[in-house]
Amino acid sequence: MNNKSLVYLQSGGPTAVINSSLYGAIIEAKKGGFDRIYGSLHGIEGLINDDLCDLEMENNRDIELLKQTPGSILGSSRYKIPEDLKDPVYQKIIDTLKFHEIGYVLVNGGNDSMDTCAKLSKVAKTADYPLQIIGVPKTVDNDLVITDHSVGYPSAAKYVINTIHGIMLDGNSYSVGKVYIIECMGRDVGWITAASDLLSGECRPDIIILPETPFDLEAFLAKVERIHKQKNHVFVVVSEGIKFQQDEKVEVDSFGHAKLGGVATKLADIVRERTGLSVRDIMLGLPQRGGVAYMSKVDQLEAIGSGAFAVKALVSGESGKMVAIRRLSDYPYKSEFFLTDVMKIANSVKPIPASMLHSDRKMDTSFAAYLRPLIQGEPDLVYEDGILACSRFRYVKAY
Amino acid sequence: MNNKSLVYLQSGGPTAVINSSLYGAIIEAKKGGFDRIYGSLHGIEGLINDDLCDLEMENNRDIELLKQTPGSILGSSRYKIPEDLKDPVYQKIIDTLKFHEIGYVLVNGGNDSMDTCAKLSKVAKTADYPLQIIGVPKTVDNDLVITDHSVGYPSAAKYVINTIHGIMLDGNSYSVGKVYIIECMGRDVGWITAASDLLSGECRPDIIILPETPFDLEAFLAKVERIHKQKNHVFVVVSEGIKFQQDEKVEVDSFGHAKLGGVATKLADIVRERTGLSVRDIMLGLPQRGGVAYMSKVDQLEAIGSGAFAVKALVSGESGKMVAIRRLSDYPYKSEFFLTDVMKIANSVKPIPASMLHSDRKMDTSFAAYLRPLIQGEPDLVYEDGILACSRFRYVKAY
């Protein structure tokens, strides 16, 4: 037994480039140094249940198309690994690793996944099982600390910018005024929502509401009415995770069914009721994290690069680290990868810094300077009969 | 006074290619035969209020980018022209036409717009004002009769197909089952919703609900539970315009606020309540008609061609006709334009024919054979700094 095999995990919600990171890792790992290259099905669940697949795909087309295939092709997981390291699932994981002679683990995910990396490292050490683990960063939310940005965020931002652009051009076609309330992803941080501020002229949103700042409903309503009088249409972009200053009870009493929708629907109801204006609520929803049509080339290349860099880190003996990105210059955009301790990532969240916020519910110009270089470039996507071509890779269980 | 000027109107909801039709008309009209080329702002409202702009754009870039600019660049209108042809608005329209020496009108729209064409023709005749009017077909709904399909529908269909593809790949990433209910546009006809059936394999929707067939809630719920047991995830695609078989009262009593969302939200509530399953409702919303990222090249070329064909029809003395499309072959796809009487279009709606429906709530293969040729090809879209480049044409009021 030499433990020279590698396993790759995808975890958490998908991004437009999640399978591009996998692509980078496969291409690099195939260059040598590993006995076999496995994928774990549904993240950590695959290691617990011995549900692995072979990643040495024969079909070159299925490998190439990973770069534009939405969704987590290895399957994702909502399973939360136990805090207690003596929980029997950890022994099951060690058993799976041993059985397949796996000495290398790559975990593609956000801060929860980096916490998983840290736990696995500890458990392996206790069990005296030699294991190297490297994290590959991924999250549309852009909430990872230390790294300049998270892989996957630029494409989500670009999706939001271009989709809202289309909605605003549509809305501005009409002479009868309306309030549009558009909801973006981002439970704790507003990075995705804020991206809409890169639009300019009559397509720049009028109001941007972020979780980073307290939300004052009365001030918001006054502003909506003022803008409506000034320019007829009012475009509001709001993070799903904003907190209402108002009493939770008030919110519930007036609008019932919390299950009935997100914050855009609730806000739309309030604006309708309080101002009498015509309101349309729009949830951008799941396509934000799987909308490959607006994939950023910069993001795609960094995803591929980070997967490859993680493999190289394993080869050079590193463990317990996550691949992070350091920005070297804006124009032309240049960046480099480096390694950081997973523990530094695991328990922190990065909100938009105050310096990038503007007092009047728009973004400071430093935010656009930060984001604009990241959304550059459009990959040539391959279509078959008008439908995006996807990797037809299917799980073949490894024994 | 020679009445050799032309005016172009955009009407109804935008499509991904609405400004491509305008592009085709401008390019053709610039070849000669007209004194001036005007755009009417906000459809018929521009003719009523003498709000016209000059369309002989100087900037070649602004003309070229019309082919990828979402929204109605001339402004759309929700104004319904009066039934009574003696209404004073008609005199205002004649006054505007006279003042600008306009003898040619192009109306880009759906069946309501063709009704407007017919009314204007009658009024001009009564007023003894020489006027030629040609309709340029446009509607994402694909509900126009006589023409093989409506310009704009193929791109809406392609948007729906590719967006639902992404949502299903995302959903299928998870091991915990869920019911997804995805709502598409189409109040009276299900053409847009049905498009999702072109997806194949595990990304083919499980249930498609169309306005063309009566909706049986109990049968639907039983089917959702059966599919959930079989394959965990259930993907339902539903037209916004489906009719519930159930008593209207039942629907209202159980789910209150009709304003709170479309049919997907209502259905999701019912499924959640009756089956206890985890349900996510998704409205594809406005991007269906403005999502140029999934524009069909076939659609774009036909939009340009129909605009140009309409101008040629005016030059050859035609009036009271709409440009329609005749399909000549599927592979390779070939079509030609012809003229049809606007009155034949104005008062009819084309549902999906029974031959294209399948008993088990999926589509017959003849539907895919019809639609597939229309969604072929992807135009090269131009981006500036990661944001879709749009025509910066601004209204300059013509005096």
Side-chain angles (χ1 to χ4, degrees):
Chain A
M1 192 174 93
N2 61 10
N3 291 355
K4 291 283 281 178
S5 288
L6 163 71
V7 69
Y8 192 102
L9 282 69
Q10 290 179 332
S11 202
T15 76
V17 298
I18 188 168
N19 299 315
S20 293
S21 297
L22 176 61
Y23 170 87
I26 291 175
I27 295 293
E28 187 63 32
K30 278 187 146 192
K31 290 180 184 168
F34 305 95
D35 279 352
R36 292 188 66 181
I37 309 167
Y38 294 113
S40 175
L41 302 189
H42 298 293
I44 196 74
E45 293 175 49
L47 288 186
I48 297 170
N49 306 321
D50 188 10
D51 216 357
L52 306 188
C53 65
D54 191 343
L55 280 182
E56 285 147 276
M57 305 177 202
E58 292 293 313
N59 187 330
N60 195 49
R61 182 177 169 79
D62 282 339
I63 298 178
E64 285 300 316
L65 287 178
L66 283 174
K67 289 185 286 184
Q68 64 169 52
T69 299
S72 306
I73 201 159
L74 297 176
S76 194
S77 169
R78 290 193 182 101
Y79 176 81
K80 178 107 182 96
I81 202 163
E83 284 301 319
D84 178 9
L85 300 186
K86 285 172 184 147
D87 190 288
V89 300
Y90 289 104
Q91 189 53 49
K92 291 173 94 173
I93 292 171
I94 295 287
D95 289 346
T96 303
L97 295 173
K98 268 187 189 161
F99 181 78
H100 295 282
E101 303 189 355
I102 292 167
Y104 307 100
V105 180
L106 292 180
V107 181
N108 186 207
N111 29 29
D112 280 349
S113 306
M114 296 312 129
D115 183 57
T116 302
C117 288
K119 288 195 169 74
L120 285 187
S121 284
K122 275 190 204 162
V123 168
K125 206 166 226 173
T126 309
D128 211 18
Y129 182 84
L131 194 67
Q132 287 171 242
I133 306 181
I134 295 287
V136 184
K138 165 219 69 77
T139 166
V140 290
D141 288 338
N142 202 38
D143 58 355
L144 301 181
V145 294
I146 297 176
T147 186
D148 176 81
H149 57 278
S150 303
V151 175
Y153 167 63
S155 295
K158 189 168 179 170
Y159 177 87
V160 162
I161 293 167
N162 281 288
T163 302
I164 293 181
H165 192 199
I167 290 169
M168 293 186 74
L169 286 167
D170 188 324
N172 281 325
S173 300
Y174 290 94
S175 50
V176 179
K178 192 173 261 192
V179 181
Y180 293 82
I181 301 182
I182 304 166
E183 181 175 328
C184 297
M185 284 184 167
R187 253 188 209 284
D188 302 313
V189 294
W191 291 101
I192 296 178
T193 304
S196 61
D197 198 51
L198 263 66
L199 293 166
S200 57
E202 63 171 13
C203 285
R204 190 175 184 195
D206 299 298
I207 303 175
I208 291 176
I209 311 176
L210 306 169
E212 278 82 354
T213 47
F215 176 63
D216 181 338
L217 179 60
E218 296 306 321
F220 165 73
L221 289 170
K223 189 157 186 187
V224 165
E225 291 198 292
R226 196 170 67 242
I227 295 169
H228 174 72
K229 272 180 200 141
Q230 278 167 11
K231 58 178 274 291
N232 218 0
H233 294 294
V234 187
F235 291 94
V236 180
V237 188
V238 57
S239 267
E240 60 181 346
I242 64 156
K243 317 283 182 292
F244 281 72
Q245 259 186 350
Q246 274 66 21
D247 208 355
E248 183 69 12
K249 194 168 63 63
V250 174
E251 196 190 328
V252 172
D253 279 353
S254 311
F255 309 99
H257 312 283
K259 63 179 166 57
L260 264 187
V263 71
T265 308
K266 283 181 199 164
L267 268 187
D269 281 341
I270 298 174
V271 173
R272 217 176 271 122
E273 198 172 297
R274 293 280 301 276
T275 69
L277 295 173
S278 174
V279 190
R280 183 157 192 161
D281 57 301
I282 299 169
M283 288 181 67
L284 296 189
L286 290 177
Q288 288 169 90
R289 64 187 199 187
V292 301
Y294 290 116
M295 191 190 282
S296 151
K297 182 85 182 170
V298 164
D299 194 23
Q300 189 194 45
L301 292 175
E302 287 187 336
I304 296 168
S306 62
F309 192 83
V311 171
K312 287 178 194 158
L314 289 175
V315 171
S316 66
E318 295 283 358
S319 186
K321 307 274 172 68
M322 186 193 84
V323 178
I325 297 169
R326 182 181 294 125
R327 186 185 302 225
L328 300 176
S329 76
D330 282 332
Y331 298 99
Y333 175 72
K334 283 183 191 164
S335 66
E336 65 179 13
F337 299 112
F338 66 102
L339 295 173
T340 183
D341 196 293
V342 289
M343 283 311 295
K344 287 186 185 161
I345 302 288
N347 298 308
S348 300
V349 163
K350 179 176 70 181
I352 303 177
S355 62
M356 287 187 184
L357 300 170
H358 187 278
S359 58
D360 194 34
R361 298 219 165 274
K362 295 225 180 165
M363 304 304 296
D364 186 77
T365 52
S366 60
F367 175 75
Y370 164 80
L371 179 54
R372 194 168 285 120
L374 305 180
I375 60 169
Q376 303 292 318
E378 294 72 42
D380 286 325
L381 300 175
V382 180
Y383 285 78
E384 283 167 354
D385 267 352
I387 302 176
L388 187 81
C390 291
S391 177
R392 290 205 191 81
F393 162 71
R394 286 283 168 278
Y395 314 143
V396 180
K397 187 164 164 150
Y399 291 98
Chain B
M1 193 174 95
N2 60 11
N3 290 355
K4 292 283 282 178
S5 287
L6 164 70
V7 68
Y8 192 102
L9 282 70
Q10 291 179 332
S11 201
T15 76
V17 298
I18 188 169
N19 299 315
S20 293
S21 297
L22 176 61
Y23 170 86
I26 292 176
I27 296 293
E28 186 64 30
K30 278 185 146 195
K31 291 180 184 168
F34 304 95
D35 277 352
R36 293 187 66 180
I37 309 166
Y38 294 111
S40 175
L41 303 188
H42 298 295
I44 196 74
E45 294 175 48
L47 289 187
I48 297 170
N49 306 320
D50 188 11
D51 218 358
L52 307 188
C53 65
D54 190 343
L55 280 182
E56 287 146 275
M57 304 179 202
E58 292 293 310
N59 188 330
N60 194 50
R61 181 176 171 82
D62 282 339
I63 297 178
E64 285 302 316
L65 288 178
L66 283 174
K67 289 185 285 184
Q68 66 169 51
T69 299
S72 305
I73 201 160
L74 297 177
S76 194
S77 169
R78 290 193 181 102
Y79 176 81
K80 180 108 182 92
I81 201 162
E83 285 301 321
D84 178 8
L85 300 187
K86 285 175 185 141
D87 191 287
V89 299
Y90 289 104
Q91 188 54 49
K92 290 172 95 174
I93 292 172
I94 295 288
D95 289 345
T96 303
L97 295 172
K98 268 188 191 162
F99 180 77
H100 295 283
E101 303 188 356
I102 292 167
Y104 307 101
V105 180
L106 292 179
V107 181
N108 186 206
N111 28 28
D112 281 350
S113 306
M114 295 313 128
D115 184 55
T116 302
C117 288
K119 287 196 171 72
L120 285 188
S121 284
K122 273 191 208 164
V123 168
K125 206 167 228 171
T126 308
D128 210 18
Y129 183 85
L131 193 68
Q132 286 173 244
I133 306 181
I134 294 288
V136 185
K138 166 219 68 79
T139 166
V140 290
D141 288 337
N142 202 37
D143 58 355
L144 301 180
V145 293
I146 298 176
T147 187
D148 177 80
H149 56 278
S150 304
V151 175
Y153 168 63
S155 295
K158 189 166 180 172
Y159 177 87
V160 161
I161 293 167
N162 281 287
T163 303
I164 292 180
H165 193 200
I167 290 170
M168 294 186 75
L169 287 166
D170 187 325
N172 281 325
S173 301
Y174 291 93
S175 51
V176 179
K178 191 173 265 195
V179 182
Y180 293 81
I181 301 183
I182 304 166
E183 179 175 327
C184 298
M185 284 183 168
R187 253 189 208 286
D188 303 312
V189 294
W191 292 101
I192 296 177
T193 304
S196 61
D197 197 53
L198 262 67
L199 293 166
S200 56
E202 65 172 11
C203 286
R204 190 176 184 195
D206 298 300
I207 303 175
I208 291 176
I209 310 176
L210 306 170
E212 278 82 352
T213 48
F215 175 64
D216 181 338
L217 179 61
E218 296 307 321
F220 166 73
L221 289 170
K223 189 157 187 189
V224 165
E225 289 196 293
R226 194 169 70 242
I227 295 169
H228 174 71
K229 270 181 200 137
Q230 276 168 12
K231 57 178 278 289
N232 218 2
H233 294 293
V234 187
F235 291 94
V236 181
V237 187
V238 57
S239 267
E240 60 181 347
I242 65 155
K243 316 282 181 295
F244 281 73
Q245 257 187 351
Q246 273 64 21
D247 206 355
E248 184 67 14
K249 195 167 65 64
V250 174
E251 194 190 328
V252 172
D253 278 353
S254 310
F255 308 97
H257 313 282
K259 64 181 165 56
L260 264 186
V263 71
T265 308
K266 284 182 199 165
L267 268 186
D269 282 341
I270 298 175
V271 173
R272 216 176 271 121
E273 197 172 297
R274 293 279 301 274
T275 70
L277 296 173
S278 174
V279 190
R280 181 158 193 162
D281 58 301
I282 299 170
M283 286 180 68
L284 296 190
L286 290 178
Q288 287 169 91
R289 65 186 197 186
V292 301
Y294 290 117
M295 190 190 285
S296 151
K297 183 83 181 171
V298 164
D299 195 24
Q300 188 194 45
L301 292 176
E302 288 188 335
I304 297 168
S306 62
F309 193 82
V311 171
K312 285 179 196 156
L314 289 176
V315 170
S316 66
E318 295 282 358
S319 186
K321 306 276 173 65
M322 187 194 81
V323 177
I325 297 169
R326 182 180 293 124
R327 186 185 301 227
L328 300 175
S329 77
D330 282 333
Y331 297 100
Y333 174 72
K334 281 183 193 165
S335 66
E336 64 180 13
F337 299 112
F338 66 101
L339 295 175
T340 183
D341 196 295
V342 288
M343 282 313 296
K344 287 187 184 159
I345 303 287
N347 298 309
S348 301
V349 163
K350 180 175 72 181
I352 303 177
S355 61
M356 287 187 183
L357 300 171
H358 187 277
S359 59
D360 195 32
R361 298 218 165 272
K362 295 225 183 169
M363 303 305 296
D364 186 77
T365 51
S366 59
F367 175 74
Y370 164 80
L371 179 54
R372 195 170 283 118
L374 305 181
I375 61 169
Q376 303 292 317
E378 293 72 41
D380 286 325
L381 300 176
V382 180
Y383 285 78
E384 281 167 355
D385 268 354
I387 302 177
L388 186 82
C390 291
S391 176
R392 288 204 193 82
F393 162 70
R394 285 285 167 279
Y395 315 143
V396 179
K397 187 167 166 148
Y399 291 99

